[in-house]
Amino acid sequence: MGLRAIFSLGLAIAFPVVSLIGIRGGVANPFWLALPDALICLALIQGLRGDSKYVFALSGFALTSVLSFVNATNSPLFSALIFALIARYFERTLEPFQTPLITQMAQRIRGPDQGFSEDAFNYTRKLTRIWSLFFVLLGVNQVILVIATRGTWALMMGNSLAPALILIFLTVEPIYRRYRLPSEPRHAFRHFLTRLLETDWKAMR
């Protein structure tokens, strides 16, 4: 793991911990903890320019910003918006004349020298739809957290529960894939990460 990756991981872990200490000590406002999520929302919305849902995304960001500023316990709504935006990235690649997002990723991971069977295409298309629905459910979970759990801990729960669920999904799916597509080639996790880092995400539409 390189220094940049170590620094990013350390920052991701330290930010919520330090913020929580500051909030509990009365030094920082709880809204501060939602700042990274707000910035991620803006980046994702920027990538949707020209999309039919672009105006809705901007409207959702404006509404979430107002609600979170008025009451910081509404800040997990930023995470809900993030999941909704990610779901849209998956969903729009399922539209006519588009290549499903997971299919594009799989083709890039395999490289141009390996073929892509019809079974693999159908599987990755279905998996793209499942990921889209999965992120929608994560967004709904965040909204429930806002309604059912008030206070700073709602922010921490929202930022820890969702990554845990994503990790479980990423662990279970390859096991099922081996059963569902036993004849398809397999790659080491290191190869998967290398190809993933080399991917031009802006070109995936």
Side-chain angles (χ1 to χ4, degrees), residues 50-101:
D51 189 278
S52 60
K53 301 295 191 298
Y54 180 68
V55 175
F56 292 101
L58 282 177
S59 301
F61 180 80
L63 178 61
T64 302
S65 299
V66 171
L67 292 175
S68 300
F69 185 77
V70 171
N71 189 339
T73 59
N74 292 324
S75 297
L77 290 174
F78 277 117
S79 296
L81 182 57
I82 287 175
F83 294 133
L85 292 169
I86 294 175
R88 176 55 187 166
Y89 273 88
F90 280 88
E91 178 193 1
R92 66 178 182 171
T93 63
L94 294 170
E95 295 174 352
F97 310 110
Q98 300 293 328
T99 303
L101 183 58

Side-chain angles (χ1 to χ4, degrees), residues 3-79:
L3 291 177
R4 183 176 180 180
I6 293 174
F7 175 78
S8 300
L9 180 61
L11 185 62
I13 295 174
F15 182 85
V17 173
V18 173
S19 297
L20 181 61
I21 293 174
I23 292 168
R24 303 297 273 189
V27 178
N29 189 293
F31 183 75
W32 168 256
L33 196 58
L35 183 59
D37 286 346
L39 295 176
I40 292 173
C41 282
L42 285 175
L44 290 172
I45 291 173
Q46 179 67 19
L48 287 178
R49 292 186 65 180
D51 189 278
S52 60
K53 301 295 191 298
Y54 180 68
V55 175
F56 292 101
L58 282 177
S59 301
F61 180 80
L63 178 61
T64 302
S65 299
V66 171
L67 292 175
S68 300
F69 185 77
V70 171
N71 189 339
T73 59
N74 292 324
S75 297
L77 290 174
F78 277 117
S79 296

